[in-house]
Amino acid sequence: MINLLLCDDHRMVREGLKQILADAGDIDVIGECADGAEVLRQARVLPIDVVLLDIAIPVHDGLEVLQRLKKEMPRLPVLILSTYPEKQYAARCYRLGASGYLNKSVDSDQLIIAIRKAAEGGMYVSASMAEALATSLGQHATRLPHETLSQREYQVFKALASGTCVKDIADQLGLSPNTVSTYRSRILEKTGASNDVGIAMYAVKHQLITP
């Protein structure tokens, strides 16, 4: 059996996924959670073979959780399952150590295949992403401005694009306002935006947030 930890902040989504996975016969959901902090807590104590993780979760977003999991448990496979477009998020997730990136529109057979492949130590890449990833992960690939942001810069970028003020971002990330302001300056420079509204417009244009 493959012991799986499931994280999605919508209970109905979790219930639907559990039913799909139960029908597989060899996948056992031994833990489920609705936020990033709970993922980290359960991953440290449960005998997990694979984590199935959404990006848009509260407390710690999926990208931060992925990064922390791979730092603490580098051999633990993490699959990302998200509504965000593959072309915008998959490359970043793979760079952070994900074993696969799937859109929530994926059919159940492919989801099960991805989980089994991750549990065996492999990497799942959908046919639609293979060529794009080969280009975006290439040494000489031309990268979009937001793809050059560090993980911490990207967290600040997403928060600014969503309208969160510097002080609140500092509180959420455990940073000083001055540090967040420094990240903001780097983000403005890298994206070419002139202010927070410009950051938000950039994020919407590239489908990084929902308008």
Side-chain angles (χ1 to χ4, degrees):
M1 292 294 290
I2 299 170
N3 291 336
L4 184 129
L5 174 61
L6 171 62
C7 181
D8 192 289
D9 60 336
H10 295 97
R11 184 179 63 83
M12 294 303 294
V13 172
R14 296 198 305 273
E15 292 300 322
L17 287 170
K18 284 193 295 182
Q19 183 59 56
I20 291 171
L21 299 178
D23 292 341
D26 61 343
I27 301 172
D28 185 15
V29 179
I30 64 169
E32 60 179 287
C33 36
D35 64 65
E38 186 64 13
V39 178
L40 296 170
R41 189 191 71 78
Q42 292 198 36
R44 291 167 183 144
V45 298
L46 295 178
I48 299 163
D49 298 312
V50 178
V51 177
L52 186 59
L53 177 67
D54 190 10
I55 289 180
I57 52 176
V59 185
H60 305 296
D61 68 32
L63 294 179
E64 181 180 357
V65 171
L66 169 61
Q67 187 175 39
R68 292 174 65 171
L69 284 174
K70 298 309 292 186
K71 183 177 180 179
E72 293 185 28
M73 294 161 270
R75 295 184 180 275
L76 177 63
V78 180
L79 285 173
I80 302 296
L81 183 66
S82 176
T83 57
Y84 291 121
E86 285 181 318
K87 64 181 182 180
Q88 300 297 349
Y89 278 87
R92 180 175 291 272
C93 289
Y94 284 114
R95 290 190 190 102
L96 291 174
S99 295
Y101 186 101
L102 303 96
N103 191 277
K104 286 186 178 179
S105 62
V106 68
D107 64 59
S108 57
D109 289 342
Q110 287 303 305
L111 174 60
I112 291 168
I113 288 171
I115 292 171
R116 288 171 178 163
K117 192 164 188 177
E120 293 170 355
M123 180 175 290
Y124 175 86
V125 181
S126 69
S128 63
M129 276 304 301
E131 184 175 350
L133 279 173
T135 300
S136 65
L137 296 176
Q139 184 175 1
H140 301 292
T142 300
R143 299 166 68 187
L144 292 171
H146 65 271
E147 294 176 332
T148 68
L149 299 175
S150 69
Q151 180 57 20
R152 184 63 86 183
E153 287 171 348
Y154 192 73
Q155 288 178 309
V156 174
F157 165 80
K158 288 289 296 296
L160 290 170
S162 299
T164 308
C165 69
V166 168
K167 182 181 182 302
D168 287 344
I169 296 172
D171 291 341
Q172 292 171 9
L173 299 180
L175 302 171
S176 72
N178 285 341
T179 299
V180 174
S181 294
T182 298
Y183 284 128
R184 179 180 178 275
S185 296
R186 294 177 189 169
I187 292 163
L188 291 172
E189 180 179 355
K190 290 182 178 181
T191 61
S194 57
N195 51 35
D196 292 353
V197 173
I199 291 174
M201 291 176 65
Y202 178 97
V204 170
K205 176 183 177 181
H206 293 279
Q207 301 181 340
L208 302 174
I209 63 170
T210 303

